[in-house]
mmCIF file with all atom_site columns, all heavy atoms in Angstrom:
data_model
loop_
_atom_site.group_PDB
_atom_site.id
_atom_site.type_symbol
_atom_site.label_atom_id
_atom_site.label_alt_id
_atom_site.label_comp_id
_atom_site.label_asym_id
_atom_site.label_entity_id
_atom_site.label_seq_id
_atom_site.pdbx_PDB_ins_code
_atom_site.Cartn_x
_atom_site.Cartn_y
_atom_site.Cartn_z
_atom_site.occupancy
_atom_site.B_iso_or_equiv
_atom_site.pdbx_formal_charge
_atom_site.auth_seq_id
_atom_site.auth_comp_id
_atom_site.auth_asym_id
_atom_site.auth_atom_id
_atom_site.pdbx_PDB_model_num
ATOM 1  N N   . LEU A 1 12 ? 128.889 82.238 90.877  1.00 0.00 ? 160 LEU A N   1
ATOM 2  C CA  . LEU A 1 12 ? 128.300 81.372 91.899  1.00 0.00 ? 160 LEU A CA  1
ATOM 3  C C   . LEU A 1 12 ? 127.624 80.131 91.294  1.00 0.00 ? 160 LEU A C   1
ATOM 4  O O   . LEU A 1 12 ? 127.011 79.349 92.025  1.00 0.00 ? 160 LEU A O   1
ATOM 5  C CB  . LEU A 1 12 ? 127.297 82.147 92.748  1.00 0.00 ? 160 LEU A CB  1
ATOM 6  C CG  . LEU A 1 12 ? 127.894 83.266 93.620  1.00 0.00 ? 160 LEU A CG  1
ATOM 7  C CD1 . LEU A 1 12 ? 126.803 83.997 94.383  1.00 0.00 ? 160 LEU A CD1 1
ATOM 8  C CD2 . LEU A 1 12 ? 128.937 82.705 94.581  1.00 0.00 ? 160 LEU A CD2 1
ATOM 9  N N   . ILE A 1 13 ? 127.737 79.957 89.966  1.00 0.00 ? 161 ILE A N   1
ATOM 10 C CA  . ILE A 1 13 ? 127.210 78.745 89.337  1.00 0.00 ? 161 ILE A CA  1
ATOM 11 C C   . ILE A 1 13 ? 128.057 77.549 89.766  1.00 0.00 ? 161 ILE A C   1
ATOM 12 O O   . ILE A 1 13 ? 129.283 77.631 89.831  1.00 0.00 ? 161 ILE A O   1
ATOM 13 C CB  . ILE A 1 13 ? 127.225 78.873 87.797  1.00 0.00 ? 161 ILE A CB  1
ATOM 14 C CG1 . ILE A 1 13 ? 126.277 79.981 87.342  1.00 0.00 ? 161 ILE A CG1 1
ATOM 15 C CG2 . ILE A 1 13 ? 126.839 77.561 87.137  1.00 0.00 ? 161 ILE A CG2 1
ATOM 16 C CD1 . ILE A 1 13 ? 126.360 80.273 85.852  1.00 0.00 ? 161 ILE A CD1 1
ATOM 17 N N   . GLY A 1 14 ? 127.400 76.439 90.081  1.00 0.00 ? 162 GLY A N   1
ATOM 18 C CA  . GLY A 1 14 ? 128.124 75.234 90.446  1.00 0.00 ? 162 GLY A CA  1
ATOM 19 C C   . GLY A 1 14 ? 128.661 75.240 91.860  1.00 0.00 ? 162 GLY A C   1
ATOM 20 O O   . GLY A 1 14 ? 129.610 74.517 92.170  1.00 0.00 ? 162 GLY A O   1
ATOM 21 N N   . LYS A 1 15 ? 128.064 76.053 92.724  1.00 0.00 ? 163 LYS A N   1
ATOM 22 C CA  . LYS A 1 15 ? 128.443 76.078 94.139  1.00 0.00 ? 163 LYS A CA  1
ATOM 23 C C   . LYS A 1 15 ? 127.185 75.843 94.982  1.00 0.00 ? 163 LYS A C   1
ATOM 24 O O   . LYS A 1 15 ? 126.674 76.761 95.632  1.00 0.00 ? 163 LYS A O   1
ATOM 25 C CB  . LYS A 1 15 ? 129.105 77.400 94.498  1.00 0.00 ? 163 LYS A CB  1
ATOM 26 C CG  . LYS A 1 15 ? 130.406 77.637 93.732  1.00 0.00 ? 163 LYS A CG  1
ATOM 27 C CD  . LYS A 1 15 ? 131.056 78.949 94.110  1.00 0.00 ? 163 LYS A CD  1
ATOM 28 C CE  . LYS A 1 15 ? 132.360 79.161 93.339  1.00 0.00 ? 163 LYS A CE  1
ATOM 29 N NZ  . LYS A 1 15 ? 132.999 80.452 93.679  1.00 0.00 ? 163 LYS A NZ  1
ATOM 30 N N   . PRO A 1 16 ? 126.668 74.625 94.953  1.00 0.00 ? 164 PRO A N   1
ATOM 31 C CA  . PRO A 1 16 ? 125.387 74.350 95.618  1.00 0.00 ? 164 PRO A CA  1
ATOM 32 C C   . PRO A 1 16 ? 125.476 74.457 97.135  1.00 0.00 ? 164 PRO A C   1
ATOM 33 O O   . PRO A 1 16 ? 126.538 74.264 97.725  1.00 0.00 ? 164 PRO A O   1
ATOM 34 C CB  . PRO A 1 16 ? 125.076 72.914 95.186  1.00 0.00 ? 164 PRO A CB  1
ATOM 35 C CG  . PRO A 1 16 ? 126.402 72.319 94.879  1.00 0.00 ? 164 PRO A CG  1
ATOM 36 C CD  . PRO A 1 16 ? 127.236 73.426 94.312  1.00 0.00 ? 164 PRO A CD  1
ATOM 37 N N   . ALA A 1 17 ? 124.344 74.752 97.741  1.00 0.00 ? 165 ALA A N   1
ATOM 38 C CA  . ALA A 1 17 ? 124.260 74.816 99.198  1.00 0.00 ? 165 ALA A CA  1
ATOM 39 C C   . ALA A 1 17 ? 124.513 73.435 99.788  1.00 0.00 ? 165 ALA A C   1
ATOM 40 O O   . ALA A 1 17 ? 124.056 72.420 99.257  1.00 0.00 ? 165 ALA A O   1
ATOM 41 C CB  . ALA A 1 17 ? 122.882 75.318 99.614  1.00 0.00 ? 165 ALA A CB  1
ATOM 42 N N   . LEU A 1 18 ? 125.244 73.384 100.891 1.00 0.00 ? 166 LEU A N   1
ATOM 43 C CA  . LEU A 1 18 ? 125.558 72.121 101.549 1.00 0.00 ? 166 LEU A CA  1
ATOM 44 C C   . LEU A 1 18 ? 124.437 71.669 102.477 1.00 0.00 ? 166 LEU A C   1
ATOM 45 O O   . LEU A 1 18 ? 124.401 70.512 102.897 1.00 0.00 ? 166 LEU A O   1
ATOM 46 C CB  . LEU A 1 18 ? 126.861 72.261 102.346 1.00 0.00 ? 166 LEU A CB  1
ATOM 47 C CG  . LEU A 1 18 ? 128.097 72.653 101.540 1.00 0.00 ? 166 LEU A CG  1
ATOM 48 C CD1 . LEU A 1 18 ? 129.309 72.803 102.457 1.00 0.00 ? 166 LEU A CD1 1
ATOM 49 C CD2 . LEU A 1 18 ? 128.372 71.632 100.446 1.00 0.00 ? 166 LEU A CD2 1
ATOM 50 N N   . ASP A 1 19 ? 123.515 72.576 102.801 1.00 0.00 ? 167 ASP A N   1
ATOM 51 C CA  . ASP A 1 19 ? 122.427 72.247 103.715 1.00 0.00 ? 167 ASP A CA  1
ATOM 52 C C   . ASP A 1 19 ? 121.237 73.137 103.405 1.00 0.00 ? 167 ASP A C   1
ATOM 53 O O   . ASP A 1 19 ? 121.385 74.193 102.765 1.00 0.00 ? 167 ASP A O   1
ATOM 54 C CB  . ASP A 1 19 ? 122.885 72.467 105.161 1.00 0.00 ? 167 ASP A CB  1
ATOM 55 C CG  . ASP A 1 19 ? 121.985 71.784 106.186 1.00 0.00 ? 167 ASP A CG  1
ATOM 56 O OD1 . ASP A 1 19 ? 121.087 71.014 105.777 1.00 0.00 ? 167 ASP A OD1 1
ATOM 57 O OD2 . ASP A 1 19 ? 122.180 72.021 107.388 1.00 0.00 ? 167 ASP A OD2 1
ATOM 58 N N   . ASP A 1 20 ? 120.056 72.730 103.847 1.00 0.00 ? 168 ASP A N   1
ATOM 59 C CA  . ASP A 1 20 ? 118.879 73.589 103.738 1.00 0.00 ? 168 ASP A CA  1
ATOM 60 C C   . ASP A 1 20 ? 119.025 74.787 104.669 1.00 0.00 ? 168 ASP A C   1
ATOM 61 O O   . ASP A 1 20 ? 119.614 74.674 105.753 1.00 0.00 ? 168 ASP A O   1
ATOM 62 C CB  . ASP A 1 20 ? 117.612 72.825 104.153 1.00 0.00 ? 168 ASP A CB  1
ATOM 63 C CG  . ASP A 1 20 ? 117.146 71.843 103.088 1.00 0.00 ? 168 ASP A CG  1
ATOM 64 O OD1 . ASP A 1 20 ? 117.510 72.025 101.916 1.00 0.00 ? 168 ASP A OD1 1
ATOM 65 O OD2 . ASP A 1 20 ? 116.398 70.914 103.451 1.00 0.00 ? 168 ASP A OD2 1
ATOM 66 N N   . SER A 1 21 ? 118.476 75.908 104.276 1.00 0.00 ? 169 SER A N   1
ATOM 67 C CA  . SER A 1 21 ? 118.390 77.046 105.194 1.00 0.00 ? 169 SER A CA  1
ATOM 68 C C   . SER A 1 21 ? 117.410 76.704 106.314 1.00 0.00 ? 169 SER A C   1
ATOM 69 O O   . SER A 1 21 ? 116.607 75.766 106.201 1.00 0.00 ? 169 SER A O   1
ATOM 70 C CB  . SER A 1 21 ? 117.925 78.296 104.447 1.00 0.00 ? 169 SER A CB  1
ATOM 71 O OG  . SER A 1 21 ? 116.573 78.130 104.024 1.00 0.00 ? 169 SER A OG  1
ATOM 72 N N   . VAL A 1 22 ? 117.464 77.473 107.386 1.00 0.00 ? 170 VAL A N   1
ATOM 73 C CA  . VAL A 1 22 ? 116.555 77.243 108.518 1.00 0.00 ? 170 VAL A CA  1
ATOM 74 C C   . VAL A 1 22 ? 115.105 77.350 108.078 1.00 0.00 ? 170 VAL A C   1
ATOM 75 O O   . VAL A 1 22 ? 114.262 76.515 108.437 1.00 0.00 ? 170 VAL A O   1
ATOM 76 C CB  . VAL A 1 22 ? 116.859 78.230 109.663 1.00 0.00 ? 170 VAL A CB  1
ATOM 77 C CG1 . VAL A 1 22 ? 115.727 78.232 110.694 1.00 0.00 ? 170 VAL A CG1 1
ATOM 78 C CG2 . VAL A 1 22 ? 118.171 77.872 110.333 1.00 0.00 ? 170 VAL A CG2 1
ATOM 79 N N   . ILE A 1 23 ? 114.792 78.366 107.251 1.00 0.00 ? 171 ILE A N   1
ATOM 80 C CA  . ILE A 1 23 ? 113.402 78.541 106.810 1.00 0.00 ? 171 ILE A CA  1
ATOM 81 C C   . ILE A 1 23 ? 112.919 77.307 106.039 1.00 0.00 ? 171 ILE A C   1
ATOM 82 O O   . ILE A 1 23 ? 111.796 76.835 106.229 1.00 0.00 ? 171 ILE A O   1
ATOM 83 C CB  . ILE A 1 23 ? 113.275 79.809 105.938 1.00 0.00 ? 171 ILE A CB  1
ATOM 84 C CG1 . ILE A 1 23 ? 113.341 81.063 106.821 1.00 0.00 ? 171 ILE A CG1 1
ATOM 85 C CG2 . ILE A 1 23 ? 111.980 79.816 105.141 1.00 0.00 ? 171 ILE A CG2 1
ATOM 86 C CD1 . ILE A 1 23 ? 112.133 81.267 107.712 1.00 0.00 ? 171 ILE A CD1 1
#
Side-chain angles (χ1 to χ4, degrees):
L160 294 178
I161 295 173
K163 297 181 180 179
L166 301 178
D167 197 8
D168 284 338
S169 67
V170 166
I171 285 290

